């Protein structure tokens, strides 16, 4: 085979090869873009754009101004309800937290507070002092006064004056005086004591609580006053021998 060489001007340089590759690549990209575009893209107009959708009511009729106002009220009511719920929830949480804090405070106070000392038993009311027995002088005045207190308790009438007057006349105040000359003495039952009482009369009119002795001053006076009350209504009515 004969050898030949291309003319110098016909050889492709490295630069020529890179340029040819770039041109080929750009052509392929343009062909793909043209194929992907719709055929009527150039003819699409504003008339072919979808019309704006108008809001309608539940029955399919266009919304009126009143419907829009009602919808606005409902939306505001819902928003208010939600806001109220959001406010109530934090308030309830705050109240619950406050109650828990108060309970903890009470528990701490209960733990810290010292136990109350047991109450002392109430003191018994002081007993009323016993009444001191009344004391009487051991003389004619004392005998008459003691006899009057007993007579009063027994319901026997008489006064200090009536007793004193009759005692002075009968015995001159001598509790052991004895009459040994009158009819009673003759009969063997002489009158004795302050008010000159015979034994049978003393026995019949003796006042309980006094000594059962004829010459005892108190027993003699009270028995004589008891007899005089039965016979004369009172010792005060006796002015002579009785």
């Amino acid at each position: 085979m004969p050898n030949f060489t291309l003319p110098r001007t016909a050889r492709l340089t490295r630069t020529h090869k890179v340029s040819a590759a770039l041109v080929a690549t750009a052509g392929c990209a343009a062909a793909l873009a043209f194929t992907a575009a719709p055929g009527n893209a150039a003819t699409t107009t504003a008339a072919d754009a979808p019309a704006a959708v108008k809001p309608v009511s539940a029955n399919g009729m266009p919304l009126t101004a009143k419907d829009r106002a009602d919808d606005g009220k409902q939306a505001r009511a819902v928003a208010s309800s939600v806001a109220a719920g959001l406010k109530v929830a934090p308030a309830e949480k705050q109240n619950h937290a406050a109650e828990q804090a108060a309970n903890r405070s009470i528990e701490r106070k209960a733990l810290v507070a010292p136990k109350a000392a047991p109450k002392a038993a109430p003191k018994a009311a002081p007993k009323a002092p016993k009444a001191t027995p009344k004391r009487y002088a051991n003389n004619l005045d004392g005998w008459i006064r003691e006899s009057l207190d007993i007579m009063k308790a027994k319901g026997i009438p008489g006064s200090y004056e009536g007793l004193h007057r009759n005692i002075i006349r009968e015995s001159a105040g001598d509790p052991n005086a004895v009459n040994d000359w009158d009819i009673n003495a003759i009969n063997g039952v002489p009158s004795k004591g302050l008010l000159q009482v015979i034994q049978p009369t003393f026995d019949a009119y003796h006042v309980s609580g006094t000594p059962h002795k004829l010459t005892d001053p108190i027993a003699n006076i009270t028995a004589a006053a008891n007899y005089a009350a039965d016979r004369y209504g009172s010792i005060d009515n006796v002015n002579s021998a009785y």
Side-chain angles (χ1 to χ4, degrees):
M1 175 181 292
N3 291 326
F4 63 91
T5 59
L6 291 175
R8 187 178 183 83
T9 57
R11 290 181 181 176
L12 294 177
T13 64
R14 181 179 179 83
T15 300
H16 292 157
K17 291 178 180 180
V18 172
S19 298
L22 289 176
V23 171
T25 301
C28 290
L32 289 173
F34 180 79
T35 303
N40 57 352
T43 60
T44 301
T45 61
D48 295 329
V53 179
K54 295 182 179 181
V56 296
S57 63
N59 56 11
M61 299 300 291
L63 288 177
T64 62
K66 182 177 181 304
D67 293 333
R68 293 191 182 91
D70 292 339
D71 289 345
K73 290 180 179 179
Q74 291 179 357
R76 286 192 296 274
V78 171
S80 298
S81 176
V82 172
L86 293 175
K87 291 180 180 179
V88 169
E92 290 178 349
K93 290 182 179 179
Q94 290 176 1
N95 293 338
H96 182 64
E99 290 178 0
Q100 289 182 335
N103 292 336
R104 286 194 295 271
S105 177
I106 293 173
E107 291 174 356
R108 285 195 297 271
K109 289 180 179 178
L111 293 174
V112 174
K115 293 183 179 179
K119 293 184 179 179
K123 294 182 179 179
K127 294 182 179 180
K130 293 182 179 180
T132 304
K134 192 174 181 179
R135 297 182 178 276
Y136 303 92
N138 189 26
N139 54 26
L140 180 59
D141 178 74
W143 300 333
I144 293 174
R145 292 183 185 282
E146 186 175 354
S147 297
L148 285 171
D149 287 343
I150 294 172
M151 290 164 57
K152 182 179 180 180
K154 300 294 184 178
I156 301 171
S159 66
Y160 186 98
E161 186 277 330
L163 291 174
H164 186 270
R165 173 168 42 84
N166 282 282
I167 289 171
I168 295 301
R169 187 190 68 249
E170 293 292 329
S171 65
D174 181 6
N176 295 312
V178 178
N179 184 334
D180 55 2
W181 55 265
D182 65 1
I183 189 63
N184 292 320
I186 295 172
N187 293 331
V189 284
S191 302
K192 297 179 181 181
L194 291 172
L195 283 170
Q196 293 294 288
V197 181
I198 61 176
Q199 190 67 48
T201 301
F202 178 82
D203 292 341
Y205 291 95
H206 172 259
V207 177
S208 60
T210 63
H212 205 282
K213 181 181 179 181
L214 180 59
T215 56
D216 180 83
I218 308 304
N220 188 278
I221 291 173
T222 56
N226 194 23
Y227 165 74
D230 185 43
R231 289 291 299 273
Y232 308 104
S234 172
I235 191 69
D236 295 346
N237 298 329
V238 177
N239 295 301
S240 61
Y242 61 103

